[in-house]
Amino acid sequence: MNFKIKRGIRFSIFQIVIMSLLSVALILFFLSNILTRNLIEKNYNQKKDLAISSIMEIFGISTKGSKSSENKYNLAINSIFDNINNLYEKNYTIQSQDLEKGKYIFDDLKNVFEKLKLPIPKIEYILFDDKKNVLYHSEMNSDKYIDLKNNLLKLINNNTNSKRITDTLDSTDSKYSFLNLDKYIFGLEVKLGNDEFFLKNTQKFTDLLTKQYDVIESIKVYKFDDFFNYDLELNDNQISSLKNNEQIILKNDFKETYFLPIENDLIIKVDFNKKIIYKDMIPIYFSFVIAIFVSLIIGLIVAHRVSNPLIKSIESISKSIKKYTEEKDLTAIAEIKLNKKSPYELINLSKGFTEMTQEISAYTEELQAMNEALENSYNEIEKKNKKLKEENYYFSKQLSKIAESYDDDTGNHIDRVASLSEFIAKKLNLNDDFIKDIKYFAPLHDIGKILTPIEILRKPGKLTNDEFEIIKKHPIDGGKLIGDGEEYKVARNIAMYHHEKYNGKGYPFGKIGDQIPIEAQIVSFADVYDALRSERPYKKAFSHEEVCNILVNGDNRTKPTDFNPLILEVFKRYHNEIDKLYNSLK
């Protein structure tokens, strides 16, 4: 045994061992990969959901888009008013030093705004007595004091019967409120803040969130109007959704981007880093690489130990087989020597081979003789089948001529329909035998007219409705005449369905689309084309160009939807060749 064979045996054993080990490693890898990946992805999604929830809570974003912070500011103001009202109802005496320092007012306001995740706005207040005289006010310049006083008095005078009111008046960035305590009227202005103010405060939250959640790659806050000047690769529908305060989510394998519209005409763009999933999977992949390396070493060791006795046994069998092959001497098989370490299977193989060679020698000549006899029989059957098929084709052509003689068709109508059908079938890349059947059985498409009264077939004028109903029976009659033989299936389909239309408006069954056999669809198209090109008692012959227009664009009788789109496409592409073929058969 040469070195290549020995190496091949060792390599085969090595492959078996490696494949077994790797199969186990792969199964364990895939199971751990699936489980670990699911856990990692679940952890990622949980972190992402928590991050989004935090952003939604901080910036007041609902799942449908922007939720105005106005309600939160109202809630904060009402909370302060509730505290003041409760204190007053408990006979609390409002001291001037409390108001001057903003002690209970600003401490409570700060707590409420932080609890509601709102940036703390600038707050001014004035305390009136029941005569609307100013008792105290927060520190502010004179112009601001006069403006605030006038706005609060305007709000109070416009709502004399109200105990508590909050309004924006004519301002877009401030809320004015008052609380009527009978002896006192407490007025309050909350400055909502412009975009720059809001951006400055929200940056603190975004920095905190980015550090808190490792799944967040970045958070950016944009002014609404400036946002659309950036090239963020958003389509028109996505931009429209943002303008309608709807969230937009963009996803790929490594990143998810959320666009969240918020109040004050701002948009938050949050990028989530999905690469963290793959990063956490690295230990799994590294373990698999180690498993492969260990499997290779084990495979080499096992292959070497197992292959040695196996190679010696195979060498003995190989030498005996070679001698038998070269000398045809059955005694060579007896020279096979296997040692005690030879695999049990090889011992049985050697015995089986001895018996087999003896039987093979006996049967070889017999098989050769049988093979020659079978080959001759097959060739004879093929010849008879071919002759029988040719006779069927000849019979169908002669039969079609009988059918044509009943109608008023002139010229080579059936030959043209056959050739045109063959051309279209070839362009549709149908099977060669199928194409041949279509060509030779196409002339039988009107064979059923043999059973139609000849006076109706040759009537020069327009048919009555009853006469046309009789004509419409000829496809069914054709199917009956051809019969149910399997060898005539194509002929029967052509005869019975060549008047069906792809849009379901044909007859006799009203079949639609691919319910109609393709051979019938092809012959139907060829028949219509030839009929339009031919002169009849009730119409003139159309030119090829006129027929093209009728078939492609339709007229009062023929519609493009009558035909299979694939067949119509073949006609459009090869109509010049079809015209030449038609003219050659006139």
Side-chain angles (χ1 to χ4, degrees):
M1 185 183 295
N2 60 35
F3 174 73
K4 289 184 178 181
I5 296 175
K6 293 179 180 179
R7 185 177 63 181
I9 292 172
R10 287 195 174 98
F11 182 71
S12 297
I13 296 173
F14 174 73
Q15 282 183 313
I16 294 171
V17 175
I18 287 297
M19 290 302 294
S20 301
L21 294 173
L22 287 182
S23 296
V24 175
L26 277 172
I27 291 172
L28 294 175
F29 169 74
F30 283 122
L31 289 175
S32 61
N33 181 63
I34 292 171
L35 294 174
T36 306
R37 186 180 180 88
N38 287 340
L39 290 174
I40 292 173
E41 287 184 350
K42 184 178 180 180
N43 183 50
Y44 164 81
N45 288 326
Q46 287 176 343
K47 288 183 179 179
K48 181 186 71 175
D49 292 341
L50 285 173
I52 292 174
S53 297
S54 298
I55 294 171
M56 291 169 67
E57 183 180 359
I58 289 172
F59 297 110
I61 304 167
S62 72
T63 55
K64 293 184 179 179
S66 177
K67 177 181 178 183
S68 173
S69 65
E70 188 172 321
N71 292 334
K72 287 192 174 183
Y73 279 103
N74 288 338
L75 183 62
I77 294 168
N78 288 330
S79 178
I80 300 306
F81 283 173
D82 286 342
N83 288 344
I84 295 172
N85 192 61
N86 290 336
L87 291 172
Y88 180 75
E89 288 177 354
K90 294 176 181 178
N91 298 319
Y92 177 80
T93 302
I94 300 176
Q95 303 293 331
S96 62
Q97 63 266 27
D98 291 336
L99 289 169
E100 289 171 359
K101 295 178 181 178
K103 182 177 184 302
Y104 65 88
I105 298 173
F106 291 113
D107 285 349
D108 283 349
L109 273 176
K110 181 179 179 182
N111 292 335
V112 172
F113 277 94
E114 286 183 348
K115 183 178 179 181
L116 295 174
K117 304 296 185 183
L118 286 169
I120 300 175
K122 187 174 182 182
I123 302 169
E124 305 288 358
Y125 66 92
I126 297 178
L127 181 67
F128 301 93
D129 61 16
D130 55 353
K131 305 295 184 183
K132 300 177 184 175
N133 298 314
V134 176
L135 298 177
Y136 307 108
H137 61 80
S138 57
E139 293 183 5
M140 66 188 89
N141 61 44
S142 58
D143 291 338
K144 175 62 183 174
Y145 166 72
I146 294 171
D147 184 54
L148 176 58
K149 176 183 175 183
N150 291 336
N151 282 330
L152 289 173
L153 288 174
K154 178 181 177 181
L155 183 64
I156 294 168
N157 292 332
N158 289 340
N159 299 275
T160 56
N161 296 323
S162 301
K163 184 176 179 61
R164 182 185 299 185
I165 287 292
T166 298
D167 199 352
T168 57
L169 296 177
D170 298 326
S171 173
T172 59
D173 59 356
S174 292
K175 278 190 168 295
Y176 297 92
S177 307
F178 75 83
L179 174 66
N180 191 338
L181 301 171
D182 296 332
K183 291 183 180 181
Y184 303 100
I185 300 175
F186 186 79
L188 186 68
E189 178 194 22
V190 178
K191 191 77 171 178
L192 301 181
N194 54 24
D195 290 345
E196 287 77 11
F197 170 79
F198 196 81
L199 283 169
K200 181 178 179 182
N201 282 274
T202 55
Q203 188 61 45
K204 297 177 182 178
F205 292 117
T206 60
D207 292 343
L208 179 63
L209 287 167
T210 303
K211 294 177 181 178
Q212 184 176 356
Y213 297 102
D214 57 355
V215 295
I216 297 178
E217 186 176 280
S218 65
I219 304 177
K220 294 183 181 179
V221 183
Y222 299 88
K223 289 184 181 180
F224 191 86
D225 293 334
D226 294 342
F227 173 81
F228 300 101
N229 296 327
Y230 294 91
D231 184 14
L232 296 173
E233 298 182 355
L234 296 176
N235 58 41
D236 293 340
N237 291 334
Q238 292 167 338
I239 292 174
S240 176
S241 296
L242 282 176
K243 290 182 178 180
N244 291 328
N245 287 324
E246 297 176 359
Q247 294 181 11
I248 296 297
I249 303 174
L250 304 181
K251 295 183 179 182
N252 59 37
D253 291 338
F254 301 105
K255 187 167 73 173
E256 292 180 310
T257 301
Y258 283 67
F259 293 91
L260 310 173
I262 65 172
E263 59 270 35
N264 296 321
D265 291 328
L266 300 175
I267 293 179
I268 294 181
K269 175 176 176 279
V270 187
D271 290 322
F272 291 98
N273 183 13
K274 291 184 70 175
K275 292 180 181 178
I276 192 171
I277 296 176
Y278 302 101
K279 180 181 178 182
D280 292 340
M281 291 295 292
I282 290 177
I284 300 296
Y285 299 134
F286 183 70
S287 300
F288 182 63
V289 172
I290 293 176
I292 292 175
F293 180 73
V294 172
S295 297
L296 291 173
I297 296 175
I298 294 174
L300 287 171
I301 296 171
V302 173
H304 181 75
R305 291 188 176 182
V306 172
S307 63
N308 284 338
L310 182 62
I311 288 173
K312 291 179 180 179
S313 300
I314 293 176
E315 280 181 337
S316 176
I317 295 174
S318 176
K319 289 178 181 178
S320 298
I321 291 174
K322 184 178 181 182
K323 184 175 181 180
Y324 168 76
T325 304
E326 293 175 351
E327 302 176 7
K328 306 299 180 184
D329 185 2
L330 291 176
T331 58
I333 305 303
E335 297 177 4
I336 296 177
K337 295 180 180 180
L338 302 177
N339 54 45
K340 294 181 180 180
K341 293 184 179 181
S342 297
Y344 177 76
E345 289 78 6
L346 279 181
I347 296 173
N348 286 337
L349 176 64
S350 130
K351 292 179 181 178
F353 181 75
T354 301
E355 296 172 358
M356 181 184 67
T357 51
Q358 293 172 349
E359 292 177 2
I360 288 175
S361 297
Y363 289 124
T364 298
E365 293 182 2
E366 184 179 349
L367 287 173
Q368 288 177 347
M370 290 175 63
N371 184 58
E372 290 178 2
L374 288 171
E375 187 174 352
N376 292 335
S377 298
Y378 176 79
N379 291 334
E380 189 65 26
I381 291 171
E382 281 293 301
K383 288 179 182 179
K384 289 182 179 180
N385 283 340
K386 185 175 180 181
K387 183 178 180 182
L388 181 60
K389 193 144 194 173
E390 293 297 332
E391 289 175 353
N392 286 338
Y393 289 153
Y394 175 78
F395 176 74
S396 69
K397 185 173 182 180
Q398 296 303 110
L399 192 60
S400 65
K401 290 181 179 180
I402 297 173
E404 188 177 34
S405 68
Y406 273 73
D407 208 344
D408 61 352
D409 292 332
T410 58
N412 299 323
H413 169 69
I414 59 173
D415 292 333
R416 291 194 299 270
V417 170
S419 296
L420 291 172
S421 298
E422 178 190 26
F423 179 87
I424 294 171
K426 285 182 178 179
K427 296 305 179 185
L428 290 174
N429 295 319
L430 300 181
N431 178 273
D432 289 343
D433 290 338
F434 191 28
I435 293 172
K436 194 172 182 180
D437 281 349
I438 291 173
K439 175 183 178 182
Y440 284 102
F441 289 136
L444 291 177
H445 63 281
D446 279 335
I447 189 64
K449 288 184 178 180
I450 291 176
L451 302 179
T452 304
I454 196 167
E455 61 271 14
I456 295 178
L457 292 175
R458 296 185 178 179
K459 182 178 179 179
K462 184 178 180 181
L463 296 175
T464 66
N465 290 338
D466 291 340
E467 289 170 337
F468 186 62
E469 288 301 318
I470 293 173
I471 284 285
K472 286 167 64 175
K473 293 179 181 179
H474 80 270
I476 298 176
D477 291 337
K480 291 179 180 178
L481 285 172
I482 292 172
D484 297 330
E486 184 63 26
E487 65 273 19
Y488 293 110
K489 181 180 178 180
V490 174
R492 183 170 59 256
N493 285 342
I494 290 172
M496 291 183 68
Y497 305 117
H498 72 283
H499 278 295
E500 301 288 351
K501 295 181 180 180
Y502 199 77
N503 55 19
K505 296 181 179 180
Y507 65 87
F509 303 108
K511 289 185 176 292
I512 187 171
D514 293 336
Q515 294 175 359
I516 308 167
I518 187 64
E519 58 266 35
Q521 296 183 46
I522 293 170
V523 173
S524 173
F525 187 88
D527 189 31
V528 171
Y529 175 84
D530 187 77
L532 291 171
R533 291 292 305 269
S534 303
E535 183 178 354
R536 298 289 170 84
Y538 51 85
K539 72 169 204 56
K540 67 180 184 69
F542 292 110
S543 66
H544 175 72
E545 290 73 19
E546 290 173 322
V547 174
C548 284
N549 183 57
I550 291 172
L551 293 176
V552 174
N553 300 314
D555 63 3
N556 59 340
R557 293 187 61 184
T558 305
K559 306 297 180 186
T561 56
D562 292 347
F563 310 107
N564 187 321
L566 295 177
I567 295 175
L568 198 58
E569 186 61 33
V570 168
F571 175 75
K572 291 177 184 178
R573 186 177 299 180
Y574 301 103
H575 72 91
N576 288 328
E577 295 179 42
I578 290 174
D579 182 36
K580 291 178 183 179
L581 178 61
Y582 176 86
N583 291 327
S584 69
L585 298 169
K586 289 177 66 176

